[in-house]
Amino acid sequence: MEREIPALILTPLGRDATVAAGILDQAGVASTICPDLGALTQELAQAGCAVVAEEALAHMDLTALADWVSRQPPWSDFPFILLTLRGGSASTNLIEVLGNVTVLERPFHPSVLVNAVRSAMRARRRQREAEAYLEERKRSEEHQALLIRELHHRVKNTLATVLALLRATAGSAKTVDDFKKVFADRILALSRTHSLLVDSTWRTAALADILRSELSPYDDACERVHLAGPEVELSADVAVPLGMALHELTTNAAKYGALAVPEGRLEVTWDVTEIGEGRVLTLRWAERHGPPVEKPSRTGFGSKLIQQVLMHQCKAALRFDFDRDGLSFFLELPLPATPANPAPEQSSSANPVSLTQPLLGHATRGRAPVAARWEP
């Protein structure tokens, strides 16, 4: 450490500078000889201390040096070792200019110089440690302020979402009990997505984890639900609205679609494509062998919610197709080139869901899009 941060030496008369540098070198202390006051002043910021002969500063313009000393940050008090002649006394004005001064009267034993320099270097290191601590504290405070602003932003968004769910559910519910159940289910879906984000310090949530949290209650020994796709980490701004949309799809399938009957099957596949400097998530939700489907005569809250959160908030393109055999939902959602805040640890879906395993009793991959259904 001492060899990396040198002690500066300014003793222009005779061989004093060479002798002092040799003494420090033998003691394992790095040093740099400065030819003049200007060079010394320029090197102060990178040095551990400065050994200066009083005569080197006599009759010199000390303005630049005094300015550097006065502009030191609060943590800094640069140490100077001032060498005086025997019988003389250091100039009061000079001591005031330098500030943190240790005065050594020449001649002195080499060990005196070594001890004084080591003490000064140790004090400078402590000052640097104080600087690092203050900088870290400043970064911590800035990060805390950012987190508070982010929390405020997310709480406002969450409350707005809850209010929208409340109003829409109240407008579509036929009874109080119906309102309670539908509203509670939607709040729980929002909570599950939030829990996945909290596990990663609100950085990302895995798409497979969001799907599993919604669909696991409907999957049984018959393997009614099949998921296939690569690992995809979604930022909070995408995970929350997509989680809400998937909940609406799941609720519809459980009430009216493939998950409402034992023989029903659901296949969800997804992939990510690199396009220019960004990525696009493509997702296909396909229900089969459920109750016969009829195209709805009106648009319900579920479809409105999906369109609002995905098309308007996430700039996604989506499509519902209708066929008597089951609902198919198609989604194209733009993603950043890389997650904005990658999670520090892998989620439980770190391994991609296999794309090679059969998804249904018959092959569906590569077929033309099948029709889809949506409950009003």
Side-chain angles (χ1 to χ4, degrees):
M1 186 70 174
E2 290 179 343
R3 287 192 176 275
E4 295 177 356
I5 302 178
L8 303 180
I9 300 176
L10 179 59
T11 55
L13 301 181
R15 298 180 60 252
D16 288 354
T18 303
V19 172
I23 293 172
L24 296 178
D25 183 66
Q26 290 181 359
V29 179
S31 63
T32 299
I33 298 176
C34 299
D36 53 46
L37 180 59
L40 176 84
T41 304
Q42 291 180 358
E43 296 293 329
L44 288 175
Q46 289 75 42
C49 71
V51 180
V52 183
E54 186 176 20
E55 60 271 19
L57 303 180
H59 311 297
M60 297 293 294
D61 184 359
L62 304 179
T63 302
L65 177 61
D67 182 60
W68 187 91
V69 172
S70 65
R71 287 188 294 104
Q72 293 181 89
W75 58 266
S76 177
D77 190 14
F78 189 87
F80 291 89
I81 299 174
L82 185 62
L83 307 183
T84 64
L85 297 174
R86 174 175 292 183
S89 60
S91 166
T92 302
N93 180 62
L94 186 56
I95 292 178
E96 289 180 355
V97 169
L98 299 179
N100 184 10
V101 181
T102 299
V103 178
L104 295 184
E105 184 179 287
R106 292 173 288 183
F108 44 73
H109 193 275
S111 62
V112 174
L113 176 63
V114 171
N115 290 336
V117 169
R118 282 179 170 168
S119 178
M121 299 277 278
R122 188 180 304 111
R124 188 59 175 171
R125 283 196 299 271
R126 295 292 291 175
Q127 294 173 20
R128 289 295 185 183
E129 291 171 2
E131 176 194 22
Y133 169 77
L134 292 174
E135 289 180 351
E136 178 60 29
R137 181 173 177 178
K138 180 181 179 181
R139 286 192 295 268
S140 177
E141 291 174 349
E142 291 174 347
H143 182 61
Q144 184 180 30
L146 175 64
L147 291 178
I148 292 174
R149 290 195 298 271
E150 182 70 10
L151 176 62
H152 178 67
H153 169 71
R154 298 205 181 279
V155 168
K156 287 181 62 179
N157 284 350
T158 300
L159 292 176
T161 300
V162 171
L163 183 59
L165 292 174
L166 173 64
R167 290 172 175 170
T169 306
S172 60
K174 297 179 181 180
T175 66
V176 173
D177 290 340
D178 183 39
F179 166 80
K180 289 180 180 179
K181 183 180 186 308
V182 174
F183 184 65
D185 288 344
R186 285 168 173 161
I187 294 299
L188 289 174
L190 184 63
S191 174
R192 285 192 293 270
T193 303
H194 277 227
S195 295
L196 293 174
L197 291 167
V198 169
D199 290 342
S200 64
T201 321
W202 204 271
R203 288 185 174 90
T204 61
L207 173 59
D209 287 346
I210 297 175
L211 284 164
R212 289 189 182 105
S213 71
E214 287 294 337
L215 296 171
S216 58
Y218 306 99
D219 200 17
D220 51 28
C222 298
E223 297 183 352
R224 303 170 63 199
V225 178
H226 294 266
L227 307 178
E231 178 188 0
V232 182
E233 294 288 341
L234 303 174
S235 64
D237 291 339
V238 174
V240 171
L242 183 57
M244 295 173 59
L246 292 173
H247 170 73
E248 295 302 321
L249 288 168
T250 302
T251 300
N252 181 77
K255 293 172 65 176
Y256 310 106
L259 300 182
V261 294
E263 62 272 18
R265 296 293 183 268
L266 170 64
E267 169 193 348
V268 184
T269 60
W270 66 91
D271 202 357
V272 176
T273 305
E274 302 286 342
I275 299 181
E277 297 182 355
R279 304 178 300 159
V280 173
L281 169 67
T282 57
L283 182 142
R284 177 173 177 265
W285 173 290
E287 299 178 31
R288 295 293 174 270
H289 311 315
V293 176
E294 293 183 1
K295 186 175 181 179
S297 59
R298 63 183 180 85
T299 301
F301 171 69
S303 58
K304 289 180 180 178
L305 176 64
I306 290 177
Q307 293 175 11
Q308 179 178 351
V309 299
L310 294 182
M311 295 179 64
H312 299 160
Q313 187 171 338
C314 299
K315 310 301 180 185
L318 53 90
R319 186 178 83 249
F320 290 100
D321 286 342
F322 298 92
D323 184 84
R324 289 185 63 81
D325 191 40
L327 175 146
S328 288
F329 169 74
F330 303 90
L331 170 72
E332 289 186 355
L333 191 152
L335 301 173
T338 56
N341 294 303
E345 298 180 357
Q346 288 184 326
S347 68
S348 60
S349 67
N351 295 322
V353 181
S354 174
L355 280 170
T356 59
Q357 62 182 347
L359 300 177
L360 295 175
H362 55 279
T364 58
R365 191 172 179 82
R367 295 175 57 187
V370 293
R373 160 204 59 208
W374 182 244
E375 163 65 18

